[in-house]
Amino acid sequence: MESGRCLLVPILIALIILCLATLSSFLVGAGDVTPSRALAALFGAADEEAHFVVFELRMVRTLLGVTVGIALGAAGSLLQAATRNPLAEPGLLGVSAGASFAVVVAISLGSSAAGLHIWVAVAGALGGCLLVLLVSQVRGVGDDPVRLVLAGAAFSSMLMAMTTLLLLFDQRTADEIRFWIIGALGGRSAEILSWTAPMILCSLIVMLVLVRPLASLALGEKIATGLGHNPRLTRLLTLIVVAFLVGAATAAAGPIAFIGLIVPFAARALVGTDIRRVLWMAVLLGPSLVLVADVLSRLAVRPYELPIGVITAIIGAPVLVAVVRSQRMPSL
């Protein structure tokens, strides 16, 4: 009963933060629609322009931000639990870079960004993650959190360099995905949600099945095996779920870095290291962080907008340095 009460307070705080971030996403943005006009539109007492901006533009953007935030927050928590590495992050371990590279290759071969199938991004995310983990097995690199991240960062940089080369040689592809490649929520259609949300929802349902094996894995492979779980199978299924989550999020909004690092870090600070608690917090804090970063991207260089990936990088880089420099790196 006491543990339930301890979890209730952080969840209520996270819910309040999410509600405020969602409201800010509706009220704040570029253009002539002020927060007061947007608030009036929400209550049905505004002009046509404000109604269009709030319900046709900002609502799709907000729902997409919530969806992407849930996916990246959960993916980061799962990846860190499966690798037992607090620095594991989809953007640092080649997952996002693999998805981006696969999408750019598909577009350069003739596919259009609008009709691009989500499976391309999922396959790229899974391939990138598996390659980094295979490389990390060389000389026990995977046992060192910092060296694993360095290996992932090097591999991600290589994929991004190859992606950039493709864009330099293919102007059509570069024009088609110029904003997508940095990560952005603006200008997306509601149709994206129709195929992103179901895939993320199915992945979250599978994630619930993996929670108990991952919690046992945190006690060590021998104990997990003794409790009747298969650590290798658990890790493989977790990586597949992470690939689906990150692939869907990347296909919808482009590669958005550091969400999968910051969210689990904040969740553990609030509820401890138990993956069963961390995941609850991650699916609440993830969309909050994405929405706050998106609102900041609208306000930073008004009347223009920054890609959200720039804002998350500015926020996430100091967090990464703080985690690495901390004398007691959290053990998962």
Side-chain angles (χ1 to χ4, degrees):
M1 180 65 73
E2 186 65 28
S3 62
R5 290 176 181 172
C6 292
L7 186 60
L8 182 61
V9 173
I11 285 180
L12 285 176
I13 294 174
L15 279 173
I16 292 172
I17 294 173
L18 178 58
C19 290
L20 292 175
T22 304
L23 183 61
S24 299
S25 183
F26 277 112
L27 299 185
V28 179
D32 298 328
V33 178
T34 61
S36 59
R37 288 177 65 192
L39 187 62
L42 288 177
F43 288 97
D47 53 276
E48 290 187 4
E49 181 189 12
H51 188 276
F52 174 79
V53 169
V54 171
F55 288 99
E56 299 297 329
L57 300 181
R58 293 181 185 174
M59 177 172 283
V60 174
R61 189 167 180 161
T62 302
L63 292 176
L64 185 60
V66 170
T67 307
V68 169
I70 290 175
L72 295 180
S77 303
L78 288 171
L79 195 57
Q80 292 182 8
T83 59
R84 301 185 68 187
N85 184 342
L87 297 179
E89 199 269 339
L92 295 176
L93 291 190
V95 188
S96 301
S100 303
F101 180 69
V103 169
V104 170
V105 169
I107 293 177
S108 66
L109 292 177
S111 300
S112 66
L116 187 65
H117 204 284
I118 192 171
W119 294 105
V120 173
V122 172
L126 183 59
C129 186
L130 287 177
L131 283 175
V132 169
L133 292 179
L134 285 175
V135 170
S136 71
Q137 299 305 310
V138 178
R139 295 184 180 180
V141 172
D143 297 331
D144 187 330
V146 177
R147 293 177 67 189
L148 176 61
V149 170
L150 290 176
F155 184 74
S156 297
S157 299
M158 184 187 71
L159 283 177
M160 293 305 296
M162 294 168 64
T163 302
T164 303
L165 278 177
L166 281 175
L167 294 178
L168 287 175
F169 286 108
D170 190 342
Q171 192 59 44
R172 183 189 73 87
T173 303
D175 291 339
E176 196 160 352
I177 62 171
R178 182 181 298 123
F179 241 65
W180 176 89
I181 199 66
I182 308 175
L185 297 178
R188 311 295 181 187
S189 68
E191 183 185 0
I192 293 176
L193 289 167
S194 65
W195 46 260
T196 303
M199 175 167 286
I200 292 175
L201 180 61
C202 292
S203 301
L204 293 178
I205 292 174
V206 178
M207 178 189 77
L208 295 177
V209 179
L210 294 170
V211 168
R212 287 177 64 86
L214 285 174
S216 301
L217 193 60
L219 303 174
E221 289 198 11
K222 291 183 178 179
I223 295 178
T225 303
L227 293 174
H229 301 296
N230 185 330
R232 181 167 296 183
L233 179 62
T234 299
R235 287 196 177 97
L236 177 61
L237 292 177
T238 302
L239 292 180
I240 292 174
V241 172
V242 168
F244 272 83
L245 289 171
V246 177
T250 304
I256 301 177
F258 291 111
I259 300 295
L261 173 73
I262 301 172
V263 169
F265 182 71
R268 283 194 297 274
L270 289 172
V271 297
T273 58
D274 191 330
I275 184 63
R276 291 166 290 195
R277 291 165 169 257
V278 169
L279 282 172
W280 276 107
M281 294 303 299
V283 297
L284 294 174
L285 295 178
S288 301
L289 180 58
V290 170
L291 291 178
V292 169
D294 187 45
V295 169
L296 291 175
S297 74
R298 305 177 203 178
L299 301 177
V301 290
R302 298 186 72 177
Y304 306 104
E305 292 188 12
L306 283 175
I308 187 175
V310 174
I311 301 296
T312 58
I314 293 173
I315 298 173
V319 174
L320 175 62
V321 173
V323 175
V324 173
R325 288 179 59 87
S326 62
Q327 294 183 349
R328 292 187 58 190
M329 190 173 293
S331 177
L332 301 180

